[in-house]
Amino acid sequence: MFSASGLASGMDWSSIIDSMVQIESQPLTLLANKKSALNAQISKLGDLSSKLSDLESAAGALKTGGVLGLTATTSSTSFSATAGSGATAGRYSVEVNQLAQAAKARSQGFASGSAGVTGGSLTLSVQGKAYDPITLTDGESLADVAYSINQLGAPVSAVVVNDGTNSYLSLNNRDTGYPLTGAAADALKWTESYTGSQGQALGLASVQGAQNAVVTVDKLKFTRQSNTISDALPGVTLNLTAQTPGTTDDLVLNNDATATQANLQKFVTAYNTVMGVLQSNLDASDVTDRERNLTGDSSVRMLQMQLQSLTSTPVAGLVGVRTLADLGIKTQKDGSLTIDTTTLQSALSINPGAANAIFADPVNGMAKKFSDLVDSYVAPGSGILTLDSQAKTDQVSSIDSQTTQMQVRIDAYRQTLQDQFTAMESIISGLKATSSFLTQQSNQSSSK
């Protein structure tokens, strides 16, 4: 292979070949630049799609969690309360009649956790559901039995405890209470059967019966399996901590403008992030690299217009407070949003329920509108940005194929040049040798 400057001709053929190949490779450089620009655009589309998904999630959170912030206050030590979506300002009387508790059982005492259990079977029924019998191998340890119980998949835990003298198998329901249509005994039942001769029987006995929670709200009694009750008052979760039958405490729910603004701010921040990405791509200047940006992408500009229009779109069926602007969400000159506290407080005084409805309405709400818009752009296989990104990805693949083919031609071109210059050097070298021989012969003839 020719790799050095001409020894016979004295010319730097290597540099000449590199220059000629470089000229031939200019289309390859253009392809590389085009690929780099497309990858930059694909990255920007991916970033925009991600930010749009975040915006959809932020709007969806206001649909499920509610916009309206309420403060739940009570002086009670028997319960606490948390207000969420659907809660309404008001004053309620609450009495905790009974706390829910889990069923528990314990075996008779064993010398240790490794002490043997008599062979046979143990069958458990938890919260009204029967589970497959557990085979007790004659003489297996108490710890082994606990392991077998935990492998059942039943909502019950089995542990070996020691009081300093004896070890016990302790069974505890993971859930409090018992099925409302059943009896307390349904929470945890067991049947022991023994056929072995080693060790001793478990001898399980109840140490705590299951109990459901009972709470009275405005003289209406609710019985539930858990001490966390979320269906007594709409949008309010009660956490019962102590039973105080005969004692009632007030629960007061007040509209909280500060909490409402904090909820809205999460949406505003997500919107502004998307708008910031759009602005950085669409605001072209003299130094903007249009090949690596989305400046010329009409779908991106259309997205910006559609997002901006939603901020002033009214939600059909609402009165007084119908748009985001009515809630105090104002559009600034740069397209970003801000919250006007005065307008928000006024909206809450006019129709506090509309704050939630603007996002939560299943047909016309903002959460639905933003979700539909975002999906039209980022949905897998059909979204506008998704298809745009896929088209650019296909272009990159095509460029890769062209680059491979072109590189093969350029390599062949270089090899041809090297072969030609090698042959030329050989001819020049031969001519020089002939010239030298003839000169030598001529000199010898002249000297005779």
Short mmCIF file of all heavy atoms in Angstrom, two decimals, residues 222-261:
data_model
loop_
_atom_site.label_atom_id
_atom_site.label_comp_id
_atom_site.label_asym_id
_atom_site.label_seq_id
_atom_site.Cartn_x
_atom_site.Cartn_y
_atom_site.Cartn_z
N PHE A 222 -71.43 5.55 61.31
CA PHE A 222 -70.71 4.84 60.25
C PHE A 222 -69.87 3.74 60.89
O PHE A 222 -69.13 3.99 61.85
CB PHE A 222 -69.78 5.78 59.47
CG PHE A 222 -70.49 6.88 58.73
CD1 PHE A 222 -70.81 8.07 59.38
CD2 PHE A 222 -70.86 6.72 57.41
CE1 PHE A 222 -71.46 9.09 58.71
CE2 PHE A 222 -71.52 7.74 56.73
CZ PHE A 222 -71.83 8.93 57.38
N THR A 223 -69.96 2.53 60.34
CA THR A 223 -69.14 1.41 60.80
C THR A 223 -68.22 1.00 59.67
O THR A 223 -68.68 0.69 58.57
CB THR A 223 -70.03 0.22 61.22
OG1 THR A 223 -70.90 0.61 62.27
CG2 THR A 223 -69.15 -0.94 61.71
N ARG A 224 -66.92 0.98 59.94
CA ARG A 224 -65.94 0.66 58.92
C ARG A 224 -64.85 -0.25 59.51
O ARG A 224 -64.61 -0.27 60.71
CB ARG A 224 -65.29 1.94 58.36
CG ARG A 224 -66.28 2.90 57.70
CD ARG A 224 -66.84 2.31 56.42
NE ARG A 224 -67.71 3.25 55.72
CZ ARG A 224 -69.04 3.31 55.87
NH1 ARG A 224 -69.64 2.47 56.71
NH2 ARG A 224 -69.75 4.18 55.19
N GLN A 225 -64.16 -1.00 58.62
CA GLN A 225 -63.13 -1.93 59.07
C GLN A 225 -61.85 -1.23 59.51
O GLN A 225 -61.07 -1.78 60.29
CB GLN A 225 -62.79 -2.94 57.98
CG GLN A 225 -63.86 -4.02 57.79
CD GLN A 225 -63.41 -5.08 56.80
OE1 GLN A 225 -63.97 -5.20 55.72
NE2 GLN A 225 -62.42 -5.85 57.17
N SER A 226 -61.61 -0.03 59.00
CA SER A 226 -60.36 0.68 59.25
C SER A 226 -60.59 1.93 60.08
O SER A 226 -61.70 2.49 60.11
CB SER A 226 -59.71 1.06 57.92
OG SER A 226 -58.62 1.92 58.11
N ASN A 227 -59.53 2.38 60.75
CA ASN A 227 -59.59 3.64 61.50
C ASN A 227 -59.37 4.85 60.59
O ASN A 227 -59.40 5.98 61.06
CB ASN A 227 -58.54 3.64 62.61
CG ASN A 227 -58.91 2.69 63.74
OD1 ASN A 227 -60.07 2.65 64.17
ND2 ASN A 227 -57.95 1.91 64.19
N THR A 228 -59.10 4.58 59.32
CA THR A 228 -59.01 5.64 58.31
C THR A 228 -60.28 5.59 57.48
O THR A 228 -60.51 4.62 56.74
CB THR A 228 -57.77 5.47 57.42
OG1 THR A 228 -56.60 5.51 58.24
CG2 THR A 228 -57.68 6.57 56.39
N ILE A 229 -61.12 6.60 57.62
CA ILE A 229 -62.44 6.59 56.98
C ILE A 229 -62.53 7.76 56.01
O ILE A 229 -62.39 8.93 56.40
CB ILE A 229 -63.55 6.70 58.05
CG1 ILE A 229 -63.44 5.50 59.02
CG2 ILE A 229 -64.92 6.75 57.40
CD1 ILE A 229 -64.41 5.57 60.18
N SER A 230 -62.76 7.44 54.75
CA SER A 230 -62.77 8.49 53.72
C SER A 230 -64.13 8.63 53.04
O SER A 230 -64.24 9.37 52.05
CB SER A 230 -61.71 8.19 52.66
OG SER A 230 -61.94 6.92 52.08
N ASP A 231 -65.15 7.94 53.55
CA ASP A 231 -66.46 8.02 52.88
C ASP A 231 -67.58 8.46 53.82
O ASP A 231 -68.76 8.29 53.51
CB ASP A 231 -66.81 6.68 52.23
CG ASP A 231 -66.85 5.53 53.23
OD1 ASP A 231 -66.46 5.74 54.40
OD2 ASP A 231 -67.27 4.43 52.85
N ALA A 232 -67.22 9.04 54.95
CA ALA A 232 -68.26 9.57 55.84
C ALA A 232 -68.64 10.98 55.43
O ALA A 232 -69.82 11.33 55.38
CB ALA A 232 -67.77 9.55 57.29
N LEU A 233 -67.62 11.79 55.12
CA LEU A 233 -67.83 13.14 54.60
C LEU A 233 -67.17 13.25 53.23
O LEU A 233 -66.02 12.85 53.08
CB LEU A 233 -67.23 14.18 55.54
CG LEU A 233 -67.96 14.44 56.87
CD1 LEU A 233 -67.12 15.33 57.76
CD2 LEU A 233 -69.33 15.07 56.62
N PRO A 234 -67.86 13.78 52.22
CA PRO A 234 -67.27 13.88 50.87
C PRO A 234 -65.94 14.64 50.90
O PRO A 234 -65.85 15.76 51.42
CB PRO A 234 -68.32 14.65 50.08
CG PRO A 234 -69.60 14.39 50.80
CD PRO A 234 -69.24 14.31 52.25
N GLY A 235 -64.91 14.01 50.34
CA GLY A 235 -63.61 14.65 50.21
C GLY A 235 -62.82 14.77 51.50
O GLY A 235 -61.75 15.37 51.51
N VAL A 236 -63.30 14.20 52.59
CA VAL A 236 -62.62 14.31 53.88
C VAL A 236 -62.19 12.93 54.37
O VAL A 236 -62.97 11.97 54.31
CB VAL A 236 -63.54 14.96 54.94
CG1 VAL A 236 -62.83 15.01 56.30
CG2 VAL A 236 -63.94 16.35 54.51
N THR A 237 -60.95 12.84 54.81
CA THR A 237 -60.45 11.60 55.40
C THR A 237 -60.33 11.78 56.90
O THR A 237 -59.63 12.68 57.38
CB THR A 237 -59.08 11.22 54.81
OG1 THR A 237 -59.21 11.02 53.40
CG2 THR A 237 -58.55 9.94 55.44
N LEU A 238 -61.02 10.93 57.65
CA LEU A 238 -60.95 10.95 59.11
C LEU A 238 -59.96 9.88 59.57
O LEU A 238 -60.03 8.73 59.13
CB LEU A 238 -62.32 10.67 59.72
CG LEU A 238 -63.43 11.68 59.43
CD1 LEU A 238 -64.76 11.16 59.97
CD2 LEU A 238 -63.10 13.03 60.03
N ASN A 239 -59.06 10.25 60.43
CA ASN A 239 -58.12 9.30 61.02
C ASN A 239 -58.43 9.19 62.51
O ASN A 239 -58.15 10.12 63.28
CB ASN A 239 -56.68 9.79 60.81
CG ASN A 239 -56.31 9.85 59.34
OD1 ASN A 239 -56.22 8.83 58.67
ND2 ASN A 239 -56.14 11.06 58.82
N LEU A 240 -59.02 8.07 62.89
CA LEU A 240 -59.44 7.88 64.28
C LEU A 240 -58.26 7.42 65.12
O LEU A 240 -57.52 6.51 64.74
CB LEU A 240 -60.56 6.84 64.35
CG LEU A 240 -61.73 7.03 63.36
CD1 LEU A 240 -62.82 6.00 63.62
CD2 LEU A 240 -62.28 8.45 63.43
N THR A 241 -58.07 8.05 66.27
CA THR A 241 -56.91 7.74 67.11
C THR A 241 -57.29 7.29 68.52
O THR A 241 -56.50 6.64 69.19
CB THR A 241 -55.99 8.97 67.22
OG1 THR A 241 -56.76 10.10 67.68
CG2 THR A 241 -55.39 9.31 65.86
N ALA A 242 -58.48 7.64 68.98
CA ALA A 242 -58.90 7.23 70.33
C ALA A 242 -60.42 7.20 70.38
O ALA A 242 -61.09 8.03 69.77
CB ALA A 242 -58.36 8.20 71.38
N GLN A 243 -60.95 6.22 71.10
CA GLN A 243 -62.40 6.13 71.21
C GLN A 243 -62.86 6.89 72.45
O GLN A 243 -62.35 6.71 73.55
CB GLN A 243 -62.87 4.68 71.24
CG GLN A 243 -62.26 3.81 72.32
CD GLN A 243 -62.63 2.35 72.13
OE1 GLN A 243 -62.57 1.83 71.02
NE2 GLN A 243 -63.01 1.68 73.22
N THR A 244 -63.82 7.78 72.22
CA THR A 244 -64.36 8.60 73.31
C THR A 244 -65.87 8.63 73.20
O THR A 244 -66.47 9.67 72.90
CB THR A 244 -63.80 10.03 73.23
OG1 THR A 244 -64.05 10.56 71.91
CG2 THR A 244 -62.30 10.06 73.49
N PRO A 245 -66.52 7.49 73.41
CA PRO A 245 -67.98 7.44 73.28
C PRO A 245 -68.64 8.43 74.23
O PRO A 245 -68.24 8.58 75.39
CB PRO A 245 -68.31 5.98 73.63
CG PRO A 245 -67.13 5.48 74.40
CD PRO A 245 -65.95 6.20 73.85
N GLY A 246 -69.65 9.09 73.70
CA GLY A 246 -70.36 10.07 74.51
C GLY A 246 -69.79 11.47 74.40
O GLY A 246 -70.40 12.43 74.88
N THR A 247 -68.62 11.61 73.74
CA THR A 247 -67.99 12.93 73.59
C THR A 247 -67.96 13.32 72.12
O THR A 247 -67.45 12.57 71.29
CB THR A 247 -66.56 12.92 74.14
OG1 THR A 247 -66.59 12.57 75.52
CG2 THR A 247 -65.92 14.29 73.99
N THR A 248 -68.51 14.47 71.80
CA THR A 248 -68.50 14.95 70.43
C THR A 248 -67.56 16.15 70.31
O THR A 248 -67.41 16.93 71.24
CB THR A 248 -69.90 15.37 69.97
OG1 THR A 248 -70.39 16.41 70.81
CG2 THR A 248 -70.86 14.19 70.01
N ASP A 249 -66.93 16.25 69.14
CA ASP A 249 -66.03 17.37 68.85
C ASP A 249 -66.39 17.95 67.50
O ASP A 249 -66.83 17.24 66.59
CB ASP A 249 -64.57 16.90 68.84
CG ASP A 249 -64.10 16.45 70.21
OD1 ASP A 249 -63.88 17.31 71.07
OD2 ASP A 249 -63.94 15.22 70.40
N ASP A 250 -66.16 19.25 67.36
CA ASP A 250 -66.44 19.91 66.10
C ASP A 250 -65.28 19.73 65.12
O ASP A 250 -64.11 19.79 65.50
CB ASP A 250 -66.67 21.41 66.31
CG ASP A 250 -68.06 21.70 66.85
OD1 ASP A 250 -68.93 20.81 66.76
OD2 ASP A 250 -68.27 22.81 67.38
N LEU A 251 -65.64 19.52 63.87
CA LEU A 251 -64.68 19.52 62.76
C LEU A 251 -65.09 20.67 61.84
O LEU A 251 -66.22 20.69 61.34
CB LEU A 251 -64.72 18.20 61.99
CG LEU A 251 -63.97 18.17 60.65
CD1 LEU A 251 -62.48 18.41 60.86
CD2 LEU A 251 -64.20 16.84 59.93
N VAL A 252 -64.19 21.62 61.64
CA VAL A 252 -64.50 22.80 60.84
C VAL A 252 -63.66 22.79 59.58
O VAL A 252 -62.43 22.66 59.63
CB VAL A 252 -64.23 24.10 61.63
CG1 VAL A 252 -64.60 25.31 60.78
CG2 VAL A 252 -65.04 24.11 62.92
N LEU A 253 -64.32 22.91 58.44
CA LEU A 253 -63.65 22.99 57.14
C LEU A 253 -63.82 24.39 56.58
O LEU A 253 -64.95 24.85 56.39
CB LEU A 253 -64.23 21.96 56.16
CG LEU A 253 -64.17 20.49 56.58
CD1 LEU A 253 -64.84 19.62 55.52
CD2 LEU A 253 -62.75 20.05 56.81
N ASN A 254 -62.71 25.08 56.36
CA ASN A 254 -62.74 26.43 55.82
C ASN A 254 -62.00 26.49 54.49
O ASN A 254 -60.96 25.85 54.33
CB ASN A 254 -62.08 27.42 56.80
CG ASN A 254 -62.94 27.66 58.03
OD1 ASN A 254 -64.16 27.82 57.92
ND2 ASN A 254 -62.33 27.66 59.20
N ASN A 255 -62.53 27.28 53.54
CA ASN A 255 -61.81 27.51 52.29
C ASN A 255 -60.50 28.23 52.58
O ASN A 255 -60.44 29.17 53.38
CB ASN A 255 -62.65 28.36 51.32
CG ASN A 255 -63.88 27.62 50.83
OD1 ASN A 255 -63.86 26.39 50.73
ND2 ASN A 255 -64.94 28.35 50.54
N ASP A 256 -59.45 27.78 51.94
CA ASP A 256 -58.11 28.32 52.19
C ASP A 256 -57.53 28.81 50.87
O ASP A 256 -57.12 28.02 50.02
CB ASP A 256 -57.22 27.23 52.80
CG ASP A 256 -55.88 27.76 53.25
OD1 ASP A 256 -55.43 28.78 52.72
OD2 ASP A 256 -55.27 27.13 54.14
N ALA A 257 -57.51 30.14 50.71
CA ALA A 257 -57.02 30.72 49.44
C ALA A 257 -55.54 30.43 49.23
O ALA A 257 -55.09 30.20 48.09
CB ALA A 257 -57.26 32.23 49.44
N THR A 258 -54.77 30.41 50.30
CA THR A 258 -53.33 30.15 50.18
C THR A 258 -53.08 28.74 49.69
O THR A 258 -52.25 28.50 48.80
CB THR A 258 -52.62 30.37 51.53
OG1 THR A 258 -52.83 31.72 51.96
CG2 THR A 258 -51.13 30.09 51.41
N ALA A 259 -53.81 27.77 50.26
CA ALA A 259 -53.66 26.38 49.83
C ALA A 259 -54.16 26.20 48.41
O ALA A 259 -53.58 25.43 47.62
CB ALA A 259 -54.43 25.45 50.78
N THR A 260 -55.23 26.90 48.06
CA THR A 260 -55.76 26.83 46.69
C THR A 260 -54.74 27.36 45.70
O THR A 260 -54.50 26.76 44.64
CB THR A 260 -57.06 27.64 46.56
OG1 THR A 260 -58.04 27.11 47.48
CG2 THR A 260 -57.61 27.57 45.15
N GLN A 261 -54.11 28.49 46.03
CA GLN A 261 -53.09 29.06 45.15
C GLN A 261 -51.91 28.12 45.00
O GLN A 261 -51.35 27.98 43.91
CB GLN A 261 -52.63 30.41 45.68
CG GLN A 261 -51.60 31.09 44.78
CD GLN A 261 -51.33 32.52 45.20
OE1 GLN A 261 -52.10 33.13 45.93
NE2 GLN A 261 -50.22 33.09 44.72
#
